[in-house]
Amino acid sequence: SPCVYYGDEAGLEGFEDPFNRGGFPWGREDADLTDWYAKLGGLRRELAALQTGDIEYLAAKGPLLAFARVQDKERAVALTNAGPEPVPFETPWPGRRTVTDAMTGAVYPVKNGVLTVTVPGETGMLLTAVKKP
């Protein structure tokens, strides 16, 4: 399961033992990363699918990891691209006309029950049917 390791939210890097993590950089945290992790935490509190939903792995090929969390009729799809190049992704999403990236507010069309997006390099998306700009 995806998780946050000590210091990820502040921008600490990990190296091999014995330099895996240094001390927490109090007062020198990466503000953009801290805000990003805070937003993820807020979305987890708001979306039932991210709390107790069933998990379904959709893709794990090359740099792309995609999985869905589903709770009743609520669905969230997490996409992570660890590579430098954009990666296309397609998944069924019946019953919707649009899906929103909860992290950026970007809206993507669902055509004939299929969502098609391109995941930029070295980033991710959290797609939901709930608009969270």
Side-chain angles (χ1 to χ4, degrees), residues 14-85:
F15 301 101
E16 292 192 22
D17 207 16
F19 306 107
N20 341 30
R21 289 286 166 144
F24 195 86
W26 295 108
R28 299 181 320 277
E29 301 91 344
D30 181 318
D32 290 338
L33 272 179
T34 301
D35 291 346
W36 190 78
Y37 278 101
K39 188 167 193 172
L40 279 175
L43 288 165
R44 187 172 190 278
R45 282 189 302 276
E46 293 174 27
L47 300 173
L50 297 180
Q51 297 171 32
T52 59
D54 294 332
I55 190 166
E56 174 188 351
Y57 287 93
L58 306 173
K61 184 176 181 183
L64 181 68
L65 173 63
F67 62 91
R69 295 284 309 265
V70 181
Q71 175 68 28
D72 297 322
K73 292 185 179 189
E74 187 176 272
R75 177 179 178 89
V77 173
L79 305 170
T80 303
N81 179 359
E85 300 299 321

Side-chain angles (χ1 to χ4, degrees), residues 39 43 46 100-107 126 128 130-133:
K39 188 167 193 172
L43 288 165
E46 293 174 27
T100 301
D101 180 351
M103 296 302 292
T104 66
V107 177
L126 181 59
T128 69
V130 179
K131 188 173 184 180
K132 298 285 178 188

Side-chain angles (χ1 to χ4, degrees), residues 1-2 32 65 98 113 119 129:
S1 292
D32 290 338
L65 173 63
T98 61
V119 186

